[in-house]
Amino acid sequence: MKHFTRPLLLAAVLGSATYAQAQVFSFDAAKADFFAPVHRNTPAIGDYNNDGLPDVYYGGQGMNKEDSKWTWDITIDVKDEEGNVIGQQPGRQDLSWWTVGYLFTSATPGAWNYSASYGPLIEQGGDFGANGLPPSTYGTPRWFDYNNDGQLDFYTTGKNEYGWSIDGAPDGWYTLLYKNEGGKFVQESLAQLPCGNNEKGNPSSNNSSISFGDYNNDGYTDILIQCYKRWSEDGETKGARALELYKNMGDGSFEMQKVFNPIAYDENKHPADLFDTNEETFETTPTMIAKPMSHGAAIFGDLNNDGYLDIVSTGYSNDGIVFYIYKNNGDGTFQELNLEDKGFVGVYESELALADVNNDGWLDIISLGTDDTPNSTKRGDIYLNKCDGEFNFDLSTAANGNGLYGESEACMRVVDLNHDGLVDIISSGWSHVNGGWETRVFYQNFDGTFTHQQSLRHFDSGAWEIADLDGDGAIDLIGGGWGDRNDGTQQYGCFADYYAGQETEGIEAPEAPSNVTASMADGKLTVKWDGTGEAGHSYNVYVKNVETGWISQIVPADTETGKLKVFHNLQTTLRSDNSTGMQYTISAPADGNYEVGVQTVKSDWQTSVFTKASISIIDGIQSIDKELNDNGKETVYSLSGAQVKNGAHGVFIVKKGNKVTKVIK
């Protein structure tokens, strides 16, 4: 088996440098001023109109003053009953709070038009309410294609507040799904999904943690959500921690799944009602949900390279601050793993990321947050996959010199920023190093450590999102939150920030996969291909009905150009330490003619075009082009039931005994 290795450079070439260019980002004031200055939300980037350009949803809370400065005055006048000023005190002055939502649509690379859902900027106007999307605060908005029509739909959690409300939302909390109907969005009902937040810190870590992926390989994207959910009962608002898996039923609805097996049967910890037993077969099925958690993060990713998405989660649980991994059994259920003595450290106010840090073809785990030691230590941990398929990892910590800062209430994004073949890290949070809020850029060195090379404007109660927003191939950052204006006015306020990536050397598309094939067996469709064998590469796969337009895709991307449509769920792409014989299997789709495609994705998010193949399915059986073989073991019939001989052409049923094995075209 061939293992990927990190890029090697000779010491003579490197000299004393262990990393590439340090200064990658520059602040773009003009673009920052164009976006909405808000806090308590996270931007969401996706190509919702399929024009090849990234669009941005931007919601949150803002302060709408007539001068649109959106500032917080440090002091206000204290007046007597006659209106005379008798002193001053800290506070907000003449502020009008709004819950807002903007959809910024790319007109050209790096330029946008926008429509507003609520609270438009006074001097800019805007197309109020035209897009159909909601405002949101304390939200975690995401783009994904829930109905497999090739158009990105919109999902968010949030809270009713400051001029915005959702009828029937308990205690103001909601989860919303909006269907994309040709660029106009229509609300769908998702009342069964949990929602909530913790009312502090960054939305990315302390509100709802969302991950998307097809956990059961049925061709539809499912939802994993961690949050503190709220509901009303007998006139009282109640709440509870939640880590819940919602299966996409393929008809526009989602159902929470009880598919988690405990570590082992224990009468005290795991009572018998966690399982349903079939009295005839004595088979048991789990009735357990994942361990309830909040104030943390949960994420999909294939940790053992078996083609099925596992689950990693950390945060507060009813048993304290914990770390869990659930192995996907490949049959629709998950097995809780025993992580005792494996070195995993639970953290809260946390963020998780999965990435191939050391380029060995296996996903590693990056964890930021606060542990449960007496000093509440801020941690920055990297768990390197041992590549044994048994969920064993080697731990390196910020305290022991991996170069990261321990951070809490963190927002983290992982991508190769300088195109050297190694993933880098952007994190925003409260650091143990110098205290306070700061956004930091860490570059990975060729020895596997990270170096803090740049700090960006700091803010809290907000988050970043990243993508190539201006079309030059370099990663850009957009985000915002609450913080110091840094302009000498001693004012605090809401901000929108835009940092343009400057590193353009080394940007190139990867080699496309070769020898793509599709086949049917046992009610499943399998796509196979030869990988490139290059370090840091992963693979994206789609299956498309060429007649109906139905499409199942691991990560939404344009099937013709290969351009990605989203930039947040790439941990669901396929990786392997084997450069040949790679494959992905899903449940058989409906009868029809299908096109399949596989593309290569580099760690800097450059993509190849898709290498394609075709397959036809009739009565759930594969149709292929082939000469008929009269070998005496198979009997071939026409669709009318007449037996045919070798050399005939058309559509036929092939039987082996009484079993239909395939349909040959």
Side-chain angles (χ1 to χ4, degrees):
M1 184 172 288
K2 179 180 178 180
H3 287 266
F4 295 131
T5 57
R6 71 172 53 255
L8 298 178
L9 295 179
L10 297 175
V13 176
L14 283 173
S16 61
T18 58
Y19 53 84
Q21 179 175 333
Q23 188 75 17
V24 173
F25 297 101
S26 64
F27 181 72
D28 191 323
K31 290 179 180 176
D33 287 342
F34 182 76
F35 289 95
V38 296
H39 70 151
R40 294 175 179 166
N41 212 331
T42 305
I45 301 173
D47 180 14
Y48 80 91
N49 57 359
N50 292 335
D51 64 355
L53 301 174
D55 310 301
V56 182
Y57 172 86
Y58 213 136
Q61 285 180 4
M63 296 172 289
N64 197 353
K65 297 182 70 174
E66 290 185 359
D67 60 1
S68 285
K69 298 298 183 183
W70 301 69
T71 61
W72 185 4
D73 296 335
I74 297 299
T75 61
I76 61 174
D77 294 334
V78 179
K79 300 179 181 179
D80 59 20
E81 295 180 354
E82 285 76 32
N84 301 311
V85 177
I86 58 176
Q88 291 185 322
Q89 68 180 28
R92 303 169 185 172
Q93 183 179 24
D94 300 325
L95 298 179
S96 178
W97 284 84
W98 298 89
T99 298
V100 303
Y102 298 90
L103 180 60
F104 295 90
T105 303
S106 295
T108 59
W112 296 268
N113 301 314
Y114 84 97
S115 55
S117 300
Y118 203 75
L121 298 177
I122 291 176
E123 78 276 16
Q124 294 184 0
D127 193 4
F128 181 82
N131 57 63
L133 291 178
S136 69
T137 183
Y138 294 102
T140 310
R142 295 285 187 268
W143 299 103
F144 81 121
D145 184 8
Y146 82 93
N147 57 357
N148 290 21
D149 66 351
Q151 301 188 93
L152 293 181
D153 309 298
F154 180 81
Y155 170 95
T156 190
T157 60
K159 182 182 181 184
N160 297 332
E161 204 169 39
Y162 296 113
W164 170 252
S165 65
I166 298 291
D167 292 340
D171 192 37
W173 305 99
Y174 56 76
T175 297
L176 301 174
L177 176 65
Y178 284 77
K179 179 182 179 182
N180 186 344
E181 295 187 347
K184 177 74 174 182
F185 294 87
V186 178
Q187 183 180 344
E188 302 279 68
S189 176
L190 274 185
Q192 75 273 31
L193 284 169
C195 55
N197 92 324
N198 306 303
E199 296 190 349
K200 66 172 290 188
N202 287 341
S204 63
S205 61
N206 283 333
N207 299 322
S208 301
S209 174
I210 310 293
S211 188
F212 295 106
D214 182 9
Y215 82 90
N216 58 350
N217 290 19
D218 67 349
Y220 289 91
T221 302
D222 311 299
I223 301 174
L224 177 71
I225 181 169
Q226 183 199 111
C227 67
Y228 192 87
K229 62 180 179 180
R230 299 171 185 263
W231 68 92
S232 296
E233 187 175 314
D234 299 327
E236 296 183 6
T237 298
K238 298 186 177 182
R241 299 182 178 96
L243 176 58
E244 296 178 347
L245 174 65
Y246 284 84
K247 177 183 176 181
N248 189 330
M249 304 305 294
D251 60 1
S253 67
F254 292 79
E255 292 184 1
M256 191 180 76
Q257 301 299 291
K258 298 180 179 181
V259 293
F260 293 87
N261 293 301
I263 292 175
Y265 181 78
D266 184 307
E267 189 173 353
N268 296 318
K269 290 185 177 180
H270 303 123
D273 61 4
L274 293 178
F275 299 89
D276 286 333
T277 301
N278 188 311
E279 295 182 355
E280 295 182 358
T281 63
F282 300 100
E283 294 180 349
T284 59
T285 52
T287 61
M288 180 182 173
I289 62 173
K291 298 290 183 63
M293 304 180 72
S294 68
H295 294 71
I299 193 167
F300 280 126
D302 183 7
L303 296 177
N304 61 345
N305 282 346
D306 66 350
Y308 290 91
L309 297 176
D310 311 299
I311 293 173
V312 184
S313 64
T314 189
Y316 271 125
S317 78
N318 297 334
D319 298 321
I321 302 167
V322 295
F323 197 109
Y324 289 119
I325 295 178
Y326 297 95
K327 175 188 175 183
N328 192 324
N329 295 322
D331 59 1
T333 67
F334 290 82
Q335 180 68 51
E336 178 190 342
L337 300 183
N338 187 349
L339 301 184
E340 248 182 273
D341 303 321
K342 288 198 174 189
F344 291 95
V345 180
V347 287
Y348 68 97
E349 296 180 343
S350 52
E351 178 81 310
L352 290 171
L354 302 182
D356 186 3
V357 174
N358 56 359
N359 284 342
D360 61 4
W362 295 69
L363 284 177
D364 309 299
I365 304 170
I366 308 170
S367 173
L368 303 178
T370 304
D371 66 19
D372 64 350
T373 60
N375 294 326
S376 296
T377 302
K378 307 294 187 290
R379 299 183 63 96
D381 297 332
I382 300 175
Y383 301 89
L384 294 176
N385 201 320
K386 289 187 176 182
C387 313
D388 58 5
E390 299 297 328
F391 300 88
N392 292 308
F393 292 78
D394 288 323
L395 170 63
S396 68
T397 69
N400 293 330
N402 63 26
L404 297 181
Y405 290 1
E407 293 181 343
S408 65
E409 301 186 48
C411 169
M412 176 171 46
R413 303 291 181 258
V414 181
V415 66
D416 178 8
L417 295 169
N418 52 3
H419 314 287
D420 64 354
L422 303 175
V423 295
D424 309 299
I425 297 174
I426 303 167
S427 66
S428 178
W430 187 275
S431 169
H432 79 293
V433 175
N434 55 1
W437 295 98
E438 190 173 311
T439 298
R440 306 167 185 87
V441 183
F442 295 89
Y443 290 92
Q444 186 178 175
N445 306 315
F446 291 101
D447 63 0
T449 62
F450 288 80
T451 300
H452 174 216
Q453 288 298 325
Q454 187 178 7
S455 291
L456 310 180
R457 178 153 55 179
H458 62 276
F459 51 75
D460 63 11
S461 193
W464 295 95
E465 195 55 272
I466 62 175
D468 177 14
L469 293 167
D470 56 11
D472 65 355
I475 296 295
D476 310 302
L477 285 79
I478 185 173
W482 184 266
D484 190 337
R485 291 181 58 84
N486 291 335
D487 61 0
T489 62
Q490 293 186 319
Q491 291 182 319
Y492 289 82
C494 299
F495 301 97
D497 281 348
Y498 186 106
Y499 285 86
Q502 300 299 301
E503 179 61 70
T504 58
E505 295 182 2
I507 298 176
E508 59 182 19
E511 179 184 352
S514 59
N515 298 325
V516 174
T517 63
S519 60
M520 286 282 300
D522 301 323
K524 295 182 178 181
L525 188 157
T526 298
V527 182
K528 293 184 178 181
W529 66 95
D530 291 344
T532 64
E534 296 293 329
H537 287 185
S538 61
Y539 301 92
N540 188 24
V541 181
Y542 76 85
V543 177
K544 181 179 181 179
N545 188 308
V546 297
E547 295 150 343
T548 66
W550 180 96
I551 184 169
S552 172
Q553 201 162 13
I554 296 177
V555 175
D558 189 291
T559 60
E560 296 304 318
T561 66
K563 285 188 175 182
L564 297 174
K565 295 182 182 180
V566 298
F567 307 91
H568 199 90
N569 301 301
L570 302 191
Q571 73 275 0
T572 62
T573 56
L574 298 170
R575 290 169 174 83
S576 176
D577 67 349
N578 188 357
S579 64
T580 62
M582 303 191 64
Q583 66 180 49
Y584 181 64
T585 299
I586 66 170
S587 301
D591 288 357
N593 296 314
Y594 286 85
E595 178 183 88
V596 303
V598 185
Q599 71 174 160
T600 309
V601 183
K602 290 171 58 181
S603 54
D604 60 1
W605 297 354
Q606 302 300 309
T607 59
S608 74
V609 297
F610 283 92
T611 303
K612 302 177 181 180
S614 59
I615 184 173
S616 297
I617 302 172
I618 303 175
D619 294 332
I621 306 168
Q622 180 182 355
S623 174
I624 60 176
D625 291 323
K626 180 182 176 184
E627 291 287 332
L628 300 180
N629 294 318
D630 188 10
N631 55 17
K633 296 181 180 180
E634 295 179 331
T635 307
V636 182
Y637 298 90
S638 68
L639 295 183
S640 63
Q643 187 172 347
V644 297
K645 300 293 184 181
N646 184 46
H649 295 274
V651 180
F652 308 99
I653 299 174
V654 180
K655 290 186 178 181
K656 196 171 186 177
N658 294 321
K659 182 180 179 182
V660 177
T661 59
K662 51 184 171 288
V663 173
I664 299 177
K665 188 176 183 181

